[in-house]
Amino acid sequence: MKVSFLPSHDHSSKKISDTNYPLNIVFVLINEFCELFSTSGTTAVITLYMVYFLRWNENTSTATYHLFNGLNFLFSITGAIIADSWLGSYNTIMTGHILCTMGHIILVLSSVPVKGGQLIHLILFMSGFSLIVLGSGVIKPCVVAFIGDQFEEEHTEERRKLFSMLYLIASLAFLITTIFMPMLRADINCFGGDCYMLVFGVSGLFQLSGVVVFSFGSKMYKIIPPEGDIIFKVCKCMWFAILNRLKNRSTDIPKREHWLDWAAEAYPNQLILEAKALTRVLFLYIPLPMFWALFHQQGSRWTLQATTLNGNMGFFVIKPDQLQLLNPFLILILIPTFDFVIYPLMKTYRINLQPITKMVIGMILTALAFVAAAILQLNVDQTPKYSKLLLNTQNQSFQFQLQSRSSFVSNEHMVEEKSRYSLVILGDENDVSSILLKDMGTKPVNGMAAVRFVNTLNKEVNISLGKDNALTVGENYSFSSYRTLERGEYHYVPCHTENEEFFLDLGLLDFGAAYTVFIVKKPGKGPQAWKTKNIPANKVSVLWQMPQYVLITAGEVMFSVTSFEFTYTEAPPNMKSVLQAARLLTVSIGNFIVLIVTKSVFLIQWIEFIFFSGLLFIVCFIFSTMGYYYIPINQGKKEKEKEFPEVESGDLLVTQQF
């Protein structure tokens, strides 16, 4: 391996104060904050941009977002190969920044309204966002490798803390952009609507600032040049070893210690050793996607769980999707706590956790977080009791027999399987009949309240529930569909018929509740509301999600942050970026696991949480067993040094060879 330094710079003396941290690392960290702020700021509003500016439907917008997200991980592999084989980490990072900056400029142009310019907006959006996805993708695996390259080999503890700092910076950027970028979009008006142009412009400025700051340190960086098409050489080496082994299956041919040793006839020993190091780590990483399968459910299953909880804090209300901000907020607390309190305290008591051990503990904490989520879900899943009907087909008619003092009536109603209904009986003691109302099957989304109206009057009623939320209910027990509303007090709901105006007092419409409101008229009084509850309100506080968030974030600190250092340390010197890309690939595979399980296995929610927790416990056991037999690269070097000691001869260091 060759290491090149830009001339006339003494890198060993360029330290921060009296520490072992290279001064040039400051430029890299500022650059990384700017890059993450830029991409996070754009992705924070990009889905709304597609829905409300480009006028796409929600399904198309969501699918497009996840498509680009998947491509981002794919491009990270491409970027890693380019960095390790041709351009090197520094040039690849600069190229990625330039692509992202160009993409943001194009996105700004795409957010300027043009009459009849739907096709222009589409082309500009696809071009701009593609450049951002490509640029950020190629940057991802290179940054960690580039930061690690700036440290001397003996400064492993400083390098580990710097990786933690990198993770902390990423969380800080995400936290700031998630809070403030939607505010820029909604609170500032551009061209008579939300200001997407300002968001893309600010993100682009941060991206450009990152390029400038990163270039300031160019003469101070330790640059490790690429060694040609190393990845393709390794792949060809592996393929040759497989074919050669298949050709030599005879029992008369002596066995070889490792399957890659069958490439010795065509490839140098150094390349074979590097291929062995790469495959050892890749094999160890096979179980890791399961951790990410659980971790990324914070933005899906856990957010949906939050919609069934009570977010009322008295002075303010916590929205379900705001709970995700707990993760980056806790990261800012837990990373310094682990680095400066927990780990040093453990060393005081001579407890030295190896990277694989930390990752195993991280898995266990994450699995326990899902156990906590399941316990919480059990307390939430309290639904009203319904009488059950056994159906022979998906749809079936039933005769409902009603009897009053002087009459007996049989009404026929059609019901569907897996549905809930309310039977409304109307009339007096002399004449009764019924209507069947299909109830809401699940709680309203996002912690909203749902309400429908049954009009018992003999005239049509028009109801206004706020801006752009008006409905008309026909006479004589006609009923409306459910409407969702923000949680709150609704004491004066304006209504009118063809000859009368009045207000309905709905009272409190609470988190997650579904109501049926009957509009009735009593003698001598105007129309009034009689409210019944189909689904009870969320009674469990959203704060009960805190334990599972603390557990999963602590697991993230021990697993994900540690994987940065472990991947860098165990990677062959000329394949640092490629192995970081492989680590990122485990994240993508984890998301696919969630997709497959949720689409093919239909479980009650608390059982699904236990199912995922059990899977991770099993995978954790497998990973810990694999880790027990894994020999870290540094330990392997020490064992070789004991077997082949180095002897000193004058001013020359000579290695004994046998």
Side-chain angles (χ1 to χ4, degrees), residues 375-618:
I375 294 172
L376 178 60
Q377 193 67 41
L378 273 172
N379 286 277
V380 169
D381 290 342
Q382 297 178 1
T383 57
K385 292 184 179 179
Y386 284 78
S387 298
K388 295 183 179 180
L389 298 175
L390 182 62
L391 276 64
N392 298 319
T393 59
Q394 291 183 348
N395 300 284
Q396 187 173 337
S397 294
F398 281 88
Q399 294 290 333
F400 292 83
Q401 296 179 349
L402 310 174
Q403 184 174 0
S404 65
R405 290 182 181 179
S406 59
S407 66
F408 180 85
V409 178
S410 180
N411 294 149
E412 182 177 326
H413 296 292
M414 178 73 71
V415 298
E416 298 177 8
E417 64 175 358
K418 299 178 181 178
S419 300
R420 299 174 181 176
Y421 296 89
S422 292
L423 185 67
V424 180
I425 301 173
L426 49 116
D428 53 32
E429 61 182 17
N430 298 318
D431 184 22
V432 294
S433 61
S434 64
I435 59 174
L436 194 67
L437 302 180
K438 187 174 182 179
D439 293 340
M440 182 173 280
T442 58
K443 283 183 171 289
V445 297
N446 296 328
M448 305 280 276
V451 61
R452 66 179 171 188
F453 295 88
V454 178
N455 179 20
T456 68
L457 307 181
N458 59 4
K459 57 186 71 175
E460 188 178 83
V461 176
N462 297 289
I463 305 169
S464 177
L465 296 172
K467 185 180 179 181
D468 300 326
N469 197 0
L471 66 154
T472 300
V473 188
E475 71 275 7
N476 297 325
Y477 287 91
S478 295
F479 53 90
S480 69
S481 58
Y482 281 100
R483 295 294 182 96
T484 55
L485 301 169
E486 293 281 352
R487 184 255 189 194
E489 302 278 351
Y490 293 83
H491 294 293
Y492 301 99
V493 176
C495 307
H496 70 271
T497 63
E498 59 183 0
N499 55 6
E500 184 181 10
E501 293 185 359
F502 56 92
F503 294 94
L504 292 179
D505 182 3
L506 305 185
L508 174 65
L509 302 183
D510 212 348
F511 290 109
Y515 302 91
T516 298
V517 175
F518 291 85
I519 305 173
V520 298
K521 191 168 185 178
K522 295 183 178 180
K525 296 182 180 180
Q528 295 180 342
W530 180 56
K531 184 174 66 175
T532 62
K533 192 180 295 182
N534 309 123
I535 296 178
N538 303 343
K539 296 299 182 184
V540 181
S541 174
V542 75
L543 294 180
W544 283 106
Q545 275 198 326
M546 281 286 290
Q548 63 202 58
Y549 269 99
V550 171
L551 283 169
I552 202 168
T553 307
E556 179 187 6
V557 171
M558 298 203 74
F559 180 92
S560 186
V561 177
T562 304
S563 70
F564 276 29
E565 167 68 9
F566 181 78
T567 303
Y568 179 85
T569 304
E570 297 300 308
N574 50 5
M575 285 184 276
K576 301 289 188 184
S577 296
V578 166
L579 213 48
Q580 290 294 339
R583 180 184 62 81
L584 291 170
L585 189 61
T586 64
V587 181
S588 182
I589 296 172
N591 282 292
F592 282 111
I593 292 175
V594 177
L595 182 65
I596 293 169
V597 171
T598 54
K599 290 294 184 182
S600 57
V601 181
F602 300 98
L603 301 172
I604 300 172
Q605 189 55 68
W606 74 268
I607 296 178
E608 184 183 288
F609 285 148
I610 292 294
F611 176 74
F612 274 109
S613 178
L615 282 179
L616 187 56
F617 274 123
I618 294 171

Side-chain angles (χ1 to χ4, degrees), residues 15 40 54 80 117 142 148-149 169 200 221 228 246 254 292 350 378 386 417 439-440 475 500 563 567 606 624 629:
K15 305 293 183 183
S40 298
L54 296 180
C142 302
D149 291 342
I169 285 174
F200 298 149
Y221 298 136
L246 292 174
W292 297 111
R350 297 181 180 179
L378 273 172
Y386 284 78
E417 64 175 358
D439 293 340
M440 182 173 280
E475 71 275 7
E500 184 181 10
S563 70
T567 303
W606 74 268
S624 61
Y629 293 101

Side-chain angles (χ1 to χ4, degrees), residues 130-146:
S130 296
L131 286 173
I132 293 171
V133 169
L134 174 60
S136 64
V138 300
I139 289 172
K140 281 182 188 296
C142 302
V143 171
V144 176
F146 188 75

